[in-house]
Amino acid sequence: MEQLMKDFFLFLSKNQGLNAAAKKWGLRFGASRFVSGETIQEAIKGVKDLNQKGLCCTLDHLGEFVFSVEEANESADYCIKTLEAIHSSGVDCNLSLKMTQLGLDISRDLCVTNMRRILDSAKKNGNIFVRIDMEDYAHNEVTLEILRELLQDYDNVGTVIQAYLYKSTDDIDSLKDKHPNFRLVKGAYKESPQVAYPNKADVDENYKKIIKQHLLNGNYAAVATHDDNIIAYVKQLEKEHNIPRSQFEFQMLYGIRTQSQVDLAREGYRMRVYVPYGNDWYGYFMRRLAESPANVKFVLKGMFTK
């Protein structure tokens, strides 16, 4: 039943009609738990509140289904506005983005041009770090290729490695000499068993493997997890291999396990919260519902109670 529910919400996440309707609804049906607001001002306020709790952040202006050059350029402009707002407000925050928002499905050159505009702005506004979110398997290799290209000119950019892909260990090794800053995740898209581990236990084991691999390569790891077993594993690696806390951080999603976030920060770990915002929230929200039955229960409770 849990797998059926996950597949159902992942299917809904790709529905363009519902995505368009959601922009008109606003942050209803529990989405405000996972999305900080619709405007930059609301997002910055949310980041300030988290900073006061000892948490650092990364902002992501949500967007799906970009089909024109104009939309791609608008998305890039909004990323630049976000960087400027981060700098002017003085918050402790990075930027996350998806390259399909920047026109990757339209033109690789368009996407790279927009990425360079954003990274130039990030440099100008205090050398803010920019994280390229990894999308589905169809975009995986081109994302890594563009990262290799960008790392020749920028030191403030990184991407994501997904543990459910068979190729993840090879990808880490192929880029280790570039000293990349990777966010390490289990993976949230529905993929074929030809390219991804179908069983959760195998994903969990590979997740531990790539965390250890990347840390022992001496490179920076952002371990994005809500799993206590994985958190304990990272702490164990830290002790066994004398890994400095300056070489890694934990990351969690906005609105999920909020007390655990504060607890980790109080223990002296760098704890970063992924803070999404914008009116194009529908696809992101559906993927959060797909991840956990508990999230669905929360939303249903919010719909039928005052």
Side-chain angles (χ1 to χ4, degrees), residues 47-269:
V47 170
K48 285 182 178 178
D49 292 343
L50 291 166
N51 283 174
Q52 289 175 0
K53 296 177 181 178
L55 307 169
C56 50
C57 299
T58 186
L59 274 174
D60 182 1
H61 182 240
L62 296 171
E64 311 258 343
F65 308 118
V66 171
F67 295 115
S68 71
V69 172
E70 292 75 20
E71 288 176 315
N73 289 336
E74 281 181 16
S75 291
D77 291 342
Y78 221 97
C79 287
I80 291 169
K81 290 178 184 177
T82 304
L83 290 166
E84 293 169 347
I86 291 170
H87 181 63
S88 63
S89 64
V91 292
D92 184 353
C93 190
N94 295 340
L95 176 72
S96 288
L97 55 80
K98 289 180 173 60
M99 288 203 295
T100 53
Q101 287 178 264
L102 307 180
L104 182 58
D105 289 339
I106 300 167
S107 159
R108 186 186 189 280
D109 288 344
L110 171 66
C111 178
V112 171
T113 297
N114 278 329
M115 274 300 310
R116 289 184 177 275
R117 283 207 296 135
I118 290 165
L119 291 171
D120 287 339
S121 176
K123 284 277 190 184
K124 178 182 175 182
N125 286 285
N127 201 32
I128 298 169
F129 184 78
V130 177
R131 176 82 62 192
I132 301 169
D133 289 339
M134 188 62 76
E135 301 180 65
D136 60 6
Y137 183 76
H139 297 95
N140 181 276
E141 195 56 43
V142 66
T143 298
L144 295 174
E145 288 173 1
I146 291 174
L147 176 66
R148 288 186 184 94
E149 179 180 332
L150 294 173
L151 285 172
Q152 295 177 19
D153 300 310
Y154 301 94
D155 62 359
N156 61 330
V157 62
T159 192
V160 179
I161 298 293
Q162 299 158 315
Y164 66 178
L165 296 181
Y166 302 136
K167 70 194 289 287
S168 59
T169 54
D170 291 337
D171 289 338
I172 288 174
D173 272 343
S174 70
L175 280 157
K176 67 180 180 181
D177 293 338
K178 300 288 186 182
H179 306 293
N181 177 329
F182 284 143
R183 177 194 292 149
L184 305 175
V185 305
K186 291 184 181 180
Y189 292 86
K190 183 174 175 58
E191 302 290 0
S192 163
Q194 292 182 326
V195 301
Y197 293 101
N199 297 320
K200 181 181 181 300
D202 293 329
V203 175
D204 289 350
E205 283 306 305
N206 201 48
Y207 194 25
K208 291 179 180 179
K209 182 178 179 179
I210 66 171
I211 292 170
K212 183 176 182 180
Q213 176 187 7
H214 190 55
L215 284 173
L216 294 188
N217 281 345
N219 295 321
Y220 193 87
V223 182
T225 184
H226 304 107
D227 186 333
D228 284 331
N229 292 327
I230 297 297
I231 292 169
Y233 177 73
V234 174
K235 292 179 178 180
Q236 177 186 334
L237 286 176
E238 174 198 2
K239 293 177 182 178
E240 289 181 356
H241 298 279
N242 296 314
I243 297 169
R245 291 189 181 182
S246 59
Q247 194 190 325
F248 69 94
E249 65 186 48
F250 291 108
Q251 294 191 356
M252 292 188 188
L253 298 174
Y254 179 82
I256 299 179
R257 301 206 63 187
T258 53
Q259 187 57 52
S260 295
Q261 296 172 10
V262 173
D263 290 344
L264 282 166
R266 287 175 178 168
E267 289 177 42
Y269 292 100

